Amino acid sequence: MKKWGSHAGNVVENLEFLRLNIQKWKSRFVRKGKNAEKYSQIRREWGIISFAAFLILVCKYLLGDMPGPFSAAGQAFSHPRRLFRAINQMSKKERGTCVENPAKKNWIKILVIVVAVVLLAGCSAMAYLYSQIAPALDEGEAGTLNQQTDPDIEAGGDRFYNLLMVGIDYDADDDGRDYAEGKGMTDVIMYVQIDRDSGKVNAFQIPRDTYAGEDVGDGIKTNTGKINEVYANGPDQENKINNLANKIYELFKLPVDDYVVIDMQAFKTMLNNMGGIEMYVPWDIVTVDKVTGIENTVCTQGTHRISGDTAELILRNRNYSTADYKRLETQQYFYAALLKSLLNDYTLADYYSTCKVVAHYIDTSLDITEIWGLYATMLKVDPANIYIVRAPGGAANINGHTQVYYVDRESCAEILNEHFRSPESPVEAEKLGLITGQTYLYGMNIDEGRTMGDVMTNAEEGEAELAASSEAASPEAAG
């Protein structure tokens, strides 16, 4: 916000300069003849001001953020004194009278030339960015998406756009995951749906320990019963994304249009490239050494500037009484902080720099133009219209698999029908591929869901409560 405040001050200063120059030029125009009244100086004055202000904003805050020659081009036209130095080269004779109005023709010529230069530089900049980032974005090991769906279940048509977002963790030492053979586990699984009719975004968080049945597809026996191994160990090793997309459809009947698979290393790299982000941590993040059992406080409750390394520990930590379920709630605060930072603090140059750095960690069915389009769409959505909810359920021991996440089928069907399906096309709970009849070890959790706006508000309230408690405990207050 501080950066945009500075930008706003510059714009005000530039507009005042423009106004003074226009007033000076106004006295040079002479209205003669019977057609003189047809020319409105006020209309001309404010038309020029508006158009010049637009050029200044485009050149200074778009091209000026581009790398290399584009930055120079932006700076060349970024100040009204430079812009009007060229315009002032017109002779007094060319300014003439309003009846002949030769000055109007010269204005048009100059403005057309400037616009052409801006558009050419902008197109060249976009082409440059495309050439730098596009080659690094491809499907990679995730492969080509070809989800198998039930033709009897309505997918929602053109109303919904469904994106599967997956975070891959390659840490073989985490929970003894040697069964993955270095192929990585899906540590984060989030189903994101854009409702084109309402303009809202809904996100469904699927715990990584969700019980997914006794096979990972085509009869291949599971190692743990958890959904996080399906991507790596499923039957389609050429197109691993199909293993997970098909399992998600089997369990939840959720269609997938596109996917983004991100190496969890990308989160660290992205945040480090951004210089960290301001995040409200809702509770102390405490990790436990697996060998010694010694606890270590990674981060205390409160607002901190989170680096990539710290963010990884916060996102992966499951040292809570409700384990994965609480972990997903912690992640919501991270998503809110990241969204707030992207909306308020990031410039076009920052976007370019981050994309270039993390593109190598991403496998996706989207090309660069589709990603930019999707990103632009998301930036237009108010945080109050981004709803996020966790799959309802809790810990259970099922078929010899301990501490898996047992999703409650009835509650899950209600959530999906309310937020992720058309009211005209609900899916009965019996059609979901979720197991039933199991016993929860510590009770069941049902998430009512909330918006990113709610998460941001909760963060502000939590920080205010901490500040009040700290003030009340201070020696000055006690005295």
Side-chain angles (χ1 to χ4, degrees), residues 198-202 336 339 343 378-388 419 449-457:
S198 67
K200 295 182 178 181
V201 176
N202 294 321
L339 178 63
L343 287 174
M378 291 297 296
L379 287 182
K380 296 177 184 177
V381 180
D382 189 282
N385 289 326
I386 302 177
Y387 173 84
I388 187 167
H419 298 286
R450 54 183 174 172
T451 68
M452 282 291 99
D454 293 333
V455 178
M456 293 177 182
T457 299

Side-chain angles (χ1 to χ4, degrees), residues 177-198:
R177 301 184 198 180
D178 53 350
Y179 55 82
E181 298 178 353
K183 289 182 286 189
M185 300 286 96
T186 51
D187 216 44
V188 175
I189 305 173
M190 186 158 62
Y191 183 84
V192 179
Q193 182 183 84
I194 298 176
D195 187 334
R196 295 185 176 97
D197 287 356
S198 67

Side-chain angles (χ1 to χ4, degrees), residues 343-365:
L343 287 174
N344 297 336
D345 303 330
Y346 243 35
T347 66
L348 185 62
D350 294 327
Y351 297 134
Y352 162 77
S353 175
T354 299
C355 283
K356 189 174 181 180
V357 169
V358 304
H360 300 280
Y361 297 98
I362 297 175
D363 293 337
T364 179
S365 58

Side-chain angles (χ1 to χ4, degrees), residues 8-292:
N10 291 334
V11 171
V12 171
E13 178 185 355
N14 291 341
L15 287 177
E16 177 64 15
F17 175 82
L18 291 174
R19 187 185 67 80
L20 293 174
N21 272 272
I22 294 297
Q23 286 181 345
K24 179 177 68 177
W25 293 338
K26 180 178 178 180
S27 64
R28 297 176 181 174
F29 286 88
V30 180
R31 292 196 271 180
K32 297 179 180 180
K34 63 180 181 180
N35 294 320
E37 296 304 322
K38 293 182 180 180
Y39 299 100
S40 169
Q41 286 290 1
I42 295 177
R43 183 182 302 169
R44 180 185 297 112
E45 179 176 322
W46 286 105
I48 292 171
I49 286 177
S50 300
F51 193 81
F54 167 76
L55 292 179
I56 289 167
L57 289 171
V58 169
C59 294
K60 185 171 183 62
Y61 305 122
L62 177 60
L63 296 180
D65 281 335
M66 291 290 127
F70 309 111
S71 179
Q75 292 300 322
F77 292 94
S78 66
H79 198 282
R81 290 173 174 79
R82 295 192 183 112
L83 182 62
F84 285 97
R85 188 177 295 124
I87 296 174
N88 274 321
Q89 299 303 314
M90 292 189 303
S91 66
K92 294 181 180 179
K93 181 178 179 180
E94 287 177 318
R95 294 190 180 101
T97 68
C98 286
V99 174
E100 297 176 355
N101 205 28
K104 182 178 180 180
K105 295 181 179 179
N106 283 282
W107 273 110
I108 294 175
K109 291 179 182 178
I110 292 171
L111 293 179
V112 167
I113 291 173
V114 173
V115 171
V117 170
V118 171
L119 292 177
L120 179 61
C123 292
S124 299
M126 294 301 292
Y128 175 80
L129 294 180
Y130 186 90
S131 67
Q132 292 292 301
I133 300 173
L137 290 171
D138 56 31
E139 295 173 339
E141 70 172 20
T144 302
L145 177 64
N146 184 26
Q147 186 186 41
Q148 303 301 309
T149 60
D150 187 343
D152 295 330
I153 295 180
E154 176 61 47
D158 294 333
R159 173 179 172 179
F160 300 118
Y161 173 75
N162 307 299
L163 180 68
L164 179 60
M165 301 189 68
V166 181
I168 300 290
D169 180 13
Y170 288 92
D171 186 358
D173 294 330
D174 185 21
D175 293 345
R177 301 184 198 180
D178 53 350
Y179 55 82
E181 298 178 353
K183 289 182 286 189
M185 300 286 96
T186 51
D187 216 44
V188 175
I189 305 173
M190 186 158 62
Y191 183 84
V192 179
Q193 182 183 84
I194 298 176
D195 187 334
R196 295 185 176 97
D197 287 356
S198 67
K200 295 182 178 181
V201 176
N202 294 321
F204 183 56
Q205 292 178 289
I206 303 174
R208 72 175 192 179
D209 291 343
T210 295
Y211 180 73
E214 289 304 302
D215 70 82
V216 293
D218 290 355
I220 299 176
K221 186 174 176 55
T222 181
N223 291 284
T224 64
K226 299 177 181 180
I227 197 172
N228 68 336
E229 72 160 306
V230 172
Y231 175 86
N233 295 337
D236 193 343
Q237 290 298 299
E238 295 297 322
N239 307 284
K240 292 187 176 68
I241 192 62
N242 288 329
N243 299 327
L244 182 58
N246 288 334
K247 179 60 72 172
I248 287 175
Y249 194 82
E250 173 191 330
L251 298 176
F252 304 105
K253 296 299 182 284
L254 293 173
V256 176
D257 297 314
D258 283 300
Y259 71 85
V260 177
V261 175
I262 307 175
D263 184 341
M264 292 301 288
Q265 179 68 28
F267 281 108
K268 294 172 58 176
T269 303
M270 180 179 69
L271 291 186
N272 289 335
N273 188 70
M274 293 170 64
I277 62 172
E278 291 289 331
M279 175 185 172
Y280 173 73
V281 180
W283 33 72
D284 294 349
I285 305 298
V286 180
T287 60
V288 179
D289 188 284
K290 297 176 183 178
V291 178
T292 64

Side-chain angles (χ1 to χ4, degrees), residues 269-423:
T269 303
M270 180 179 69
L271 291 186
N272 289 335
N273 188 70
M274 293 170 64
I277 62 172
E278 291 289 331
M279 175 185 172
Y280 173 73
V281 180
W283 33 72
D284 294 349
I285 305 298
V286 180
T287 60
V288 179
D289 188 284
K290 297 176 183 178
V291 178
T292 64
I294 297 176
E295 292 187 344
N296 175 51
T297 301
V298 175
C299 202
T300 58
Q301 180 185 8
T303 300
H304 305 274
R305 190 153 196 88
I306 303 298
S307 68
D309 293 326
T310 303
E312 182 185 31
L313 293 174
I314 292 175
L315 292 173
R316 292 180 56 187
N317 183 53
R318 297 191 304 156
N319 186 33
Y320 309 111
S321 59
T322 54
D324 219 17
Y325 192 77
K326 193 76 168 180
R327 171 177 173 260
L328 296 183
E329 186 175 356
T330 308
Q331 290 177 1
Q332 292 177 7
Y333 283 89
F334 172 80
Y335 300 145
L338 182 60
L339 178 63
K340 187 175 181 179
S341 180
L342 292 176
L343 287 174
N344 297 336
D345 303 330
Y346 243 35
T347 66
L348 185 62
D350 294 327
Y351 297 134
Y352 162 77
S353 175
T354 299
C355 283
K356 189 174 181 180
V357 169
V358 304
H360 300 280
Y361 297 98
I362 297 175
D363 293 337
T364 179
S365 58
L366 300 167
D367 63 31
I368 185 62
T369 58
E370 292 171 324
I371 290 176
W372 283 343
L374 181 62
Y375 183 73
T377 298
M378 291 297 296
L379 287 182
K380 296 177 184 177
V381 180
D382 189 282
N385 289 326
I386 302 177
Y387 173 84
I388 187 167
V389 64
R390 294 166 287 178
N397 296 330
I398 303 176
N399 295 332
H401 305 296
T402 59
Q403 296 287 332
V404 296
Y405 190 84
Y406 167 40
V407 177
D408 181 70
R409 191 176 70 177
E410 295 294 331
S411 300
C412 188
E414 291 179 10
I415 290 173
L416 296 179
N417 286 334
E418 181 178 356
H419 298 286
F420 296 88
R421 309 194 203 279
S422 170

